[in-house]
């Protein structure tokens, strides 16, 4: 398996970065561009920026924000929020994003993922799946209606893979902001598809990354709240993980 990625995530509500707790509370934490620059200095392998209110408000994640964020970044940036058309994907890529992720539109338009993958290449198109644990069962979650869907998670992942998605991000809504560790049961779903799978939601310390890398086939692990404050920089986590497993990229000397 390729080296695993440690990814910094930034949730925004429009122009403001927020700390998300169980998808119910959102505490403002500042300028997402400043946070992205910090993640870049801390040698994140990737940055994911998600505008969590864009779809509900009928708008697109800010192209101006993406342009500002990528002006000085060396780290690849994946962005999403409110994407509904091929033209919007092109606009975001032209604004500086390396990849985009699709969530709601992938469910509402069964042709969109395939069209986007053919137009831009599968490597540019990522699926974001929100997942909620209900009575010990992991269910696909619709953040707009705040309800779970009937489609089994494994089936939905395989369908997205068949449509041409290049990667899947699984975000555990029930673990969001809890900092008690990644959901290892959710991470296990990485073995069900051939495309890379990223686990998100629940990271609270360095050990949580090492644990999920040892216990599953995830291609990377994503955290936001943990990295939003400098007392736990990405470099700190990388050093801790490297002490127990060679699964991730080594830090370069500038760190």
């Amino acid at each position: 398996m390729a080296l695993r990625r440690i990814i910094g995530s930034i949730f925004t509500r429009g122009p403001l970065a927020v700390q998300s707790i169980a998808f119910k509370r959102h505490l403002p934490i500042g300028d997402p561009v400043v946070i992205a620059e910090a993640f870049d200095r801390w040698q994140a392998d990737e940055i994911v920026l998600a505008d969590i209110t864009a779809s509900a408000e009928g708008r697109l994640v800010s192209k101006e924000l993406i342009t500002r964020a990528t002006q000085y970044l060396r780290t690849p940036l994946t962005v999403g929020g409110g994407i509904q058309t091929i033209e919007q994907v092109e606009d975001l890529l032209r604004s500086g994003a390396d990849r985009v992720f699709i969530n709601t539109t992938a469910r509402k338009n069964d042709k969109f993922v395939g069209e986007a993958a053919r137009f831009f290449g599968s490597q540019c198109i990522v699926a974001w799946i929100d997942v909620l644990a209900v009575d010990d069962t992991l269910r696909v979650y619709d953040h707009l209606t705040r309800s779970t869907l009937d489609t089994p998670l494994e089936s939905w992942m395989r369908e997205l893979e068949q449509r041409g998605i290049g990667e899947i991000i699984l975000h555990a809504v029930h673990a969001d902001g809890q900092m008690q560790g990644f959901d290892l049961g959710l991470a296990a779903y990485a073995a069900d598809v051939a495309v890379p799978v990223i686990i998100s939601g629940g990271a609270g310390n360095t050990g949580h990354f090492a644990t999920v890398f040892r216990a599953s086939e995830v291609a990377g692990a994503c955290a936001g709240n943990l990295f939003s404050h400098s007392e736990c920089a990405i470099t700190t986590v990388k050093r801790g993980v490297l002490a127990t497993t060679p699964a991730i990229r080594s830090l370069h000397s500038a760190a």
Side-chain angles (χ1 to χ4, degrees), residues 43 55 63 71 88 111 140 152 154 187 207 214 221 254:
Q43 301 184 48
S55 291
K63 292 181 288 183
Q71 187 172 4
Q88 290 173 334
K111 296 181 179 179
V140 179
E154 181 181 352
R214 287 194 299 266

Side-chain angles (χ1 to χ4, degrees), residues 99-115:
R99 304 192 298 171
V100 301
F101 71 76
I102 313 297
N103 185 351
T104 304
T105 299
R107 298 195 307 271
K108 291 185 174 181
N109 182 349
D110 59 8
K111 296 181 179 179
F112 185 78
V113 167
E115 292 174 354

Side-chain angles (χ1 to χ4, degrees), residues 4 130 141 173:
R4 318 293 185 93
D130 291 315
Y141 180 77
V173 175

